[in-house]
Each structure stands twice: as structure tokens, then as C-alpha cells.
Amino acid sequence: EALRISSYVLFYILTIQLLSRQELLRKTVKIVAGLATAIALLAILQKFTSPNLIYWFRVAPESSSPVGPWLYRNHYAGFMELLFPIVLALFFYYRPRVNRKNSWRQKVVSTLSSHGSNQYFFLGLGAILIISSIFIGLSRGGIISATLALFFFLVLLSKKSSHRGKIAPLILVGTLLLAITWFGWDPIMERFNATTDASGAINEGRLLVWKDCLPYIKDFFVTGSGFGTFIHTFPQYSNQPPATIYDHAHNDYIELLTDGGLIGFVLAAWFVLTVIVHGWRKIALRRDLYAILLGIGALTGIVSILLHSVTDFNMHNGANGLYFFFLCGLLISAGNTRLHFRTRPTLLKPAGGHRKYLLPVAGLLLFSMVLLLHGGGFLAASSYDKISSIYLNRHLSEEKLQQVRRAVIKANTYDPLEGLYPATLGSVEYYLQQADRALFQYSSAARLDPMNGIYLQNIGLFLADTSPEQSKILLADAYARALHRDKLVLTWAGWLLQTGERQEAVAVMRKGAGDYLNLVSSYFSLFTGYSFSREEIADILPESTASWIRVGKFMEKRGDLIESGYYRSHALEYLDREKIIKPWYFGQLYGFYRRLNQEDKAIAVLRQAIERLPNYAPFHVYLGNYYKKEGIDYRAREEYEQALLLEPGNEKVGNKLKQLEYRGQGMLR
């Protein structure tokens, strides 16, 4: 995070320095406009040519897909919001001058033959491509912010440059509407309709995350929990499903408060407001059209991304963050760089003698810190990789343990801020029967990364014999703080079972299975080793069809067919809780009854399956096979015909129908 933020600051300073010369200012802005246009064209082509995205007109509202070079559509929209106003500013600047008294025909001819008209039309096309790609990307925040930015730009333009006419903005907006209409409005409307549920209530997960952040902000109000710590700290405040990991708050302002506190928020707000106020004052004083339009474009881009940051974390995307600070520098440069001058190229005051050395010294210091931190991390990882494949256990020889110990100590020396190395070293010391050293290393790992549940769990397990009460508290806290809690449940539940706290172990396992449905399979060893009863297992299992089926399969493998049938049959009771009812839910129970030669139960399951999934052809085939075997040919024919309607090209079903016809003809003879 220090590297990210310092990169932004240095990018801003570099922009101010380089764009203080008008030739670099003009050249840079043109290159950026060309880059934005090229990326927008790439994004549109990708959207309509990728095999996975050709289904555009019927795409699910919540489906997310890469847009251009971005994996996340909101970040793509944020990038384009920043650069769209710049392209728009150049579009208006290069507008050909025509005589208003001329006829329409003369105006058109004059426009097409004017010097620079090629740039004008290219920039107009670029503006349409950019904003169209934002709409096609289906980012709700991006669509709203880009639309507001367009009108904000036009309002500022009308105040500063009323003599430029009103036709060009109308043509631009009209062309945009035509472009979006050609691409289709339905997916866009679906995307916005997904914000509310059937009852009209707002169905937006971000609101719940922001609500959970309020106590987080309160606890770290002044200084914040530290930049980059949101992903580790938020789970303790979150009321969302533990399996869902939030690496960001989806609101740059809230995350600035959680990570940087009041101090960080005030400093960031002070910088942005200073840039905006200074930039606007300079624009108001300038008379040069290029400087005015460029300043309006930069200011519009800044305002647009600030609006979008209410619903997303654009500042944590490297490209978007860098270009935001570039626009801040561009706003200052547009207001201060002199396009026509005799003495000084910029209105900005030159830095004093002592300030000239400030930036190089700060840059050198930053480079040294980066080299030390990341270089040390690279060397540490290289040393650790040599022994990472060794499974630590009490049966390893002392020679092998000492080999691991030396490698981990070396890695810890190179990267003393990483908790993995002291945690590993603690396990090595434990197996070398150095209890005091082991506890010290486990504690060091937890101090380096106090939100890492695994490190706390190591201490809790270590203290299990000497301090069971403290051990229990640490194991509970370890689960509460863990980012991936599914990795800790089994160990915690096993410890509770060993200490005789069976009811609490059942409660822990029940919560774990409810949070992570796939965790049930890892419980099988505990079910067997501690002789869990049917009632206890049923109490642990979540109301999930797949979870009950997994236990049924496990029981069948153990040879306990009665228990297997119990769990398999009860699995279907939770179908109404499933978002998607899958055919194998029925198929597993149908196959189980067939293996037990319980035909009546198998057919009952099959009829239930057809009732739930009438368009699944294989179930109709199975039922047809049953009727055919029972000699009820007319019912078999009905089921085969239904299957053939669902799968017209199924030759096997067609052959079955022919066999019924031949059998019917034989009976008639």
C-alpha cells in the first residue's frame, strides 16, 4: 500500500513537471486520447466476438465478464470515465470553424475540407466508442457517472464557451443514443432492474457491507486499522456469509476511513479539494480555448470518478489510481501552462533551491525501501521454497529438522515482517522439543499478523495441555479472525472432542457446515472416529440437499445401507431451499434404490423428479423403460415421445419407440 500510494503521488508530481511545457502537454493529451479510443474499440470487439460473450442479448444481469484488459467491469468503466472528458474536450477544440451565415451544404463542405477535420471526426468517433463501451460493460455505477459527467461537461462548456454553438453537443448525444439503441437497451435495463427484488426492495449487497463497516470505523476512528488491512479486519465485523471474502468495501470513502481513519480521510480530502479549487480558479481566469477545454475535461473526469467511488474501489486499481492523479496534474497544468509565451512556459513558481533536492532524495529513499522490502521478500521466498515441500511431523529425523530450521531462519532474516516463517520455525522447535522457543516463535507470528487465525490456532494448540482455558479462548478467536475459516474448523472441533466437550464440538461443526457446504466431506473421519449418532450428524448437517447426499454416499461406502438410505431420502426434503435443482439430486437416490432392487421407491423418486424437472429428457426415458418392462406400452410410448420432443436428435430413444411399434404389431398378428 505504501508503494501504491507513493506511486500515485510521484505520478502527480511527474505530470506537473513534464506538462509545464506546452509541446509535451499537447502531445501527451493526444496520446492518451488515442489510447482510450483504442481500448474502447478493443473492449467492444471483445464483447461481441468472444464465444463466451456472444450471448449478449440474453446475458444474466449479474454475470460478470472481462471488459478490454480489465477483469472487473466497474474498474474498466472507471478508467473510461476518467479519459472520456479529455477526448470530449479535444473533440470540441478541433471543431472546424464555419460561417454561420452559409447554407447547410456549404457548412458541410467547409467542415469536411477544413484543416484538422480528420482529428475532429476521429475524436468524435472516439468519444462515442468510449461511452458506448461503458454502457456495454453493464457497470451501473459507470453508466450513471459517465452520464452525469457528460452533462457536467456540457454545463461547464456552456458557461465558459457559449459562442461555440449548441449543435455539436446535440449531435454527440443523439449519436450516443443511436449507438446504444443499436447495441440494445435490454441488457442495460436488466442490469439496473437487478438492483431491486420482486417486492421492490433494494437488493444490493454493498449496502450491507457499508452497514457492517460502521462499527469498524468507530473502533479505528482516528488512525484507521492501517492501509491494506481491510481484507483481514473486516471479517470480525461482517455479518455476511463467511465464505464470501470482501477484499474491499466497494466504497473508496468508507475504506479510506476504515484503513486511514480520520487523519487519512482529511489528508486525502485536503489534497483533492486543493487541486479542484486551484484548477477551477485558473480555468476561470484563462482565455485560451485549449486550456479552458482541457481544464474542463480534467475536472469532469475527476468529478466523475469521485462519484463512481461511492459504489466501488477504483482507487485500488493501479491504472485507475494513476490516471486519477494524472488528471489532477493535468488540471493544474491546463490552468498554468502557457501555450503562447516569451519568458516563462508556466505560471507555476519554480521550486526553491533546497526543494530541488527534495524529490530526488525522497525518490531514492523510496527506491531503497522498496528494494529492501521486496528484494528481501524474494530472497526469503527462494530460501523457503527449498524446504516447503517437507511435511513437518514428529517422525522426521533431527538432521532433517535442523535443515528446515536453518532455511527458515535464513528466510526470516531476509523478510522479518512475514509471519509464515516464525510460524513454521515454531513447529520445527516444537518437534525438536524446544517448548519455550516454539511458543516464542508462534507468538512472534501472531504479533506480525494478528488477524491470521492459523497463527492463533497454533498457540492455542500448543497451550492445550498447560493452559486449557486460555487454549479454548485462542482457538475460538482463531476461527473468528480467520479469512478462510474452513481450514480451521476441523482442528477446532477435533480439539473439543478430545477434551470431552462433545456438544460444543457439534455446535462448531454445525456452524462450519452451514458457512461452508463443502466442508461436510471433511467431517467423515470425525463421524467415524468419535462414533457420531444419527441424531448428532443430522444436527450438524445444513439444510442442503448436496450435504445430505454426501453423507449418504459415505455411509454406503462403509456398508451401512440403512443409514445411507436415511440420509439420501431426507436430502430431497431441502429441494425448496436450493437455488438450482440439479438432476443428480434425484439420480443418486433413484440409482441407490435400483441397486437395492427397491423398484417401487425408485419409481416414486423418478415421478418426483419429473414433477420438479419436466424438461430433463433422461428421466422420461427411465420411466419409459419401467413401463416398457411392465408391459404398459402406451405409457412407455408417451414417455419416449416426450423425451424425443426434448432431445429430437436422440437416436436411442427413437429406436426404443420403433421397438414398441414392432412389439405392438407382433401382438396384433
Side-chain angles (χ1 to χ4, degrees):
E1 287 296 287
L3 184 61
R4 178 179 68 87
I5 295 171
S6 58
S7 297
Y8 293 168
V9 173
L10 290 173
F11 206 66
Y12 170 76
I13 295 173
L14 184 65
T15 300
I16 296 292
Q17 302 306 311
L18 293 179
L19 301 191
S20 61
R21 291 181 289 170
Q22 62 92 14
E23 63 274 10
L24 273 180
L25 175 64
R26 290 179 179 272
K27 186 183 296 184
T28 301
V29 171
K30 283 186 177 180
I31 292 173
V32 168
L35 173 68
T37 302
I39 292 177
L41 179 61
L42 170 67
I44 293 174
L45 291 175
Q46 176 185 341
K47 192 75 177 179
F48 289 100
T49 57
S50 172
N52 296 326
L53 302 174
I54 202 71
Y55 202 50
W56 157 255
F57 289 99
R58 287 174 287 176
V59 70
E62 288 303 320
S63 66
S64 185
S65 55
V67 185
W70 278 258
L71 294 175
Y72 187 42
R73 58 185 163 211
N74 288 316
H75 287 167
Y76 169 81
F79 180 81
M80 285 304 172
E81 291 162 29
L82 287 165
L83 299 189
F84 168 65
I86 302 301
V87 178
L88 203 57
L90 293 181
F91 168 72
F92 281 104
Y93 177 74
Y94 285 103
R95 179 189 173 201
R97 274 71 169 174
V98 295
N99 191 335
R100 296 183 182 181
K101 296 180 180 180
N102 290 342
S103 65
W104 275 99
R105 182 177 180 278
Q106 291 173 322
K107 288 180 180 178
V108 171
V109 172
S110 178
T111 299
L112 293 175
S113 59
S114 297
H115 176 70
S117 61
N118 57 333
Q119 297 184 71
Y120 175 70
F121 288 111
F122 173 80
L123 291 165
L125 175 63
I128 295 298
L129 288 175
I130 289 171
I131 198 166
S132 296
S133 70
I134 294 175
F135 276 77
I136 292 170
L138 298 180
S139 167
R140 292 170 295 190
I143 291 171
I144 294 172
S145 299
T147 304
L148 292 176
L150 175 59
F151 287 104
F152 183 74
F153 182 95
L154 296 177
V155 168
L156 292 182
L157 180 65
S158 66
K159 291 181 177 298
K160 289 295 298 179
S161 184
S162 58
H163 65 282
R164 298 294 292 168
K166 313 296 184 193
I167 295 180
L170 292 175
I171 293 176
L172 185 71
V173 173
T175 307
L176 169 64
L177 293 174
L178 287 174
I180 302 302
T181 302
W182 184 77
F183 288 126
W185 286 96
D186 290 344
I188 297 170
M189 299 309 298
E190 275 191 73
R191 181 73 179 138
F192 276 94
N193 289 337
T195 308
T196 57
D197 56 23
S199 63
I202 296 177
N203 182 24
E204 180 53 62
R206 288 179 175 87
L207 296 177
L208 300 176
V209 174
W210 300 343
K211 182 180 178 181
D212 291 341
C213 285
L214 294 179
Y216 182 175
I217 294 172
K218 183 180 178 181
D219 286 350
F220 298 94
F221 184 70
V222 178
T223 61
S225 60
F227 288 103
T229 61
F230 181 89
I231 188 174
H232 303 288
T233 311
F234 181 68
Q236 294 205 95
Y237 299 91
S238 175
N239 292 309
Q240 313 309 312
T244 305
I245 296 175
Y246 289 91
D247 49 357
H248 296 286
H250 288 270
N251 182 308
D252 277 326
Y253 305 103
I254 288 179
E255 190 163 352
L256 188 57
L257 284 170
T258 58
D259 289 10
L262 183 63
I263 295 174
F265 187 87
V266 169
L267 287 174
W270 168 73
F271 168 78
V272 173
L273 288 175
T274 301
V275 168
I276 291 175
V277 171
H278 176 86
W280 177 247
R281 285 177 177 173
K282 286 296 182 180
I283 292 171
L285 295 174
R286 296 301 296 268
R287 294 294 178 265
D288 188 284
L289 183 61
Y290 185 83
I292 292 171
L293 287 171
L294 197 58
I296 290 174
L299 181 59
T300 302
I302 292 171
V303 171
S304 177
I305 201 67
L306 290 176
L307 289 174
H308 196 177
S309 291
V310 173
T311 59
D312 236 294
F313 51 102
N314 275 290
M315 293 303 157
H316 290 269
N317 177 280
N320 295 11
L322 287 172
Y323 270 87
F324 173 80
F325 280 81
F326 168 75
L327 283 193
C328 289
L330 185 61
L331 177 60
I332 300 301
S333 299
N336 291 277
T337 300
R338 305 171 72 181
L339 305 180
H340 309 284
F341 63 94
R342 291 183 180 180
T343 54
R344 291 180 56 221
T346 179
L347 297 174
L348 293 173
K349 297 178 181 179
H354 63 284
R355 293 184 180 180
K356 291 182 179 179
Y357 303 102
L358 180 62
L359 185 60
V361 171
L364 183 62
L365 180 63
L366 176 64
F367 176 75
S368 302
M369 293 171 62
V370 170
L371 187 65
L372 181 65
L373 181 64
H374 292 282
F378 175 78
L379 293 174
S382 177
S383 177
Y384 184 77
D385 282 345
K386 297 176 183 178
I387 52 88
S388 61
S389 59
I390 299 175
Y391 173 66
L392 295 177
N393 61 85
R394 63 179 71 256
H395 302 296
L396 284 177
S397 64
E398 184 175 349
E399 181 182 355
K400 181 64 72 173
L401 288 171
Q402 290 293 349
Q403 176 191 346
V404 174
R405 185 175 183 273
R406 287 191 295 271
V408 177
I409 289 176
K410 188 176 180 181
N412 194 39
T413 303
Y414 287 135
D415 190 0
L417 300 180
E418 174 58 55
L420 172 64
Y421 306 129
T424 306
L425 192 57
S427 298
V428 173
E429 299 288 9
Y430 175 77
Y431 292 127
L432 287 172
Q433 298 182 356
Q434 300 291 329
D436 292 340
R437 291 181 183 177
L439 181 59
F440 174 78
Q441 295 297 342
Y442 284 146
S443 301
S444 298
R447 283 195 295 271
L448 286 171
D449 193 353
M451 309 311 294
N452 192 314
I454 293 177
Y455 299 161
L456 288 179
Q457 193 175 71
N458 287 340
I459 303 175
L461 293 173
F462 183 85
L463 297 174
D465 296 329
T466 58
S467 182
E469 288 301 320
Q470 191 175 7
S471 174
K472 184 177 179 180
I473 293 172
L474 285 169
L475 289 171
D477 279 352
Y479 180 79
R481 295 187 185 188
L483 195 59
H484 300 280
R485 298 178 184 179
D486 52 324
K487 298 179 180 179
L488 280 70
V489 174
L490 200 63
T491 303
W492 186 18
W495 182 84
L496 290 170
L497 289 169
Q498 288 177 4
T499 56
E501 300 186 47
R502 195 177 183 91
Q503 289 185 350
E504 192 164 349
V506 169
V508 168
M509 294 169 71
R510 179 173 60 248
K511 179 170 175 50
D515 294 338
Y516 304 91
L517 297 179
N518 293 330
L519 197 60
V520 170
S521 300
S522 63
Y523 289 167
F524 295 158
S525 58
L526 295 180
F527 290 162
T528 304
Y530 290 92
S531 303
F532 275 67
S533 65
R534 175 190 288 184
E535 291 73 18
E536 287 176 320
I537 295 176
D539 187 27
I540 289 171
L541 293 180
E543 295 178 340
S544 159
T545 301
S547 298
W548 285 71
I549 291 173
R550 290 190 184 102
V551 178
K553 288 183 176 180
F554 168 70
M555 293 297 179
E556 185 179 6
K557 288 181 180 179
R558 289 183 60 196
D560 195 338
L561 298 180
I562 295 176
E563 291 298 301
S564 178
Y566 171 80
Y567 292 108
R568 287 178 185 271
S569 61
H570 280 70
L572 300 183
E573 296 177 2
Y574 305 108
L575 287 173
D576 292 333
R577 296 183 177 273
E578 300 292 338
K579 292 182 179 179
I580 300 175
I581 298 178
K582 301 176 182 178
W584 73 271
Y585 293 162
F586 301 97
Q588 56 83 28
L589 187 56
Y590 171 73
F592 175 73
Y593 286 140
R594 288 288 303 277
R595 290 192 294 274
L596 295 182
N597 295 319
Q598 297 179 3
E599 196 74 22
D600 293 343
K601 291 184 178 181
I603 297 304
V605 170
L606 201 53
R607 289 196 175 100
Q608 187 180 355
I610 291 174
E611 182 182 346
R612 290 277 189 166
L613 300 171
N615 295 326
Y616 187 67
F619 288 156
H620 291 282
V621 176
Y622 298 155
L623 192 55
N625 293 341
Y626 167 74
Y627 285 130
K628 179 182 176 182
K629 187 179 72 171
E630 295 295 319
I632 311 174
D633 290 359
Y634 80 95
R635 288 290 287 117
R637 187 177 296 105
E638 289 177 357
E639 296 298 332
Y640 289 149
E641 288 174 349
Q642 182 63 32
L644 207 56
L645 284 174
L646 297 170
E647 294 182 359
N650 195 322
E651 295 181 1
K652 292 183 178 180
V653 178
N655 292 333
K656 290 178 182 292
L657 277 171
K658 290 178 181 178
Q659 291 173 8
L660 285 177
E661 291 177 6
Y662 295 149
R663 191 161 79 174
Q665 292 172 2
M667 292 176 65
L668 287 174
R669 292 195 189 97

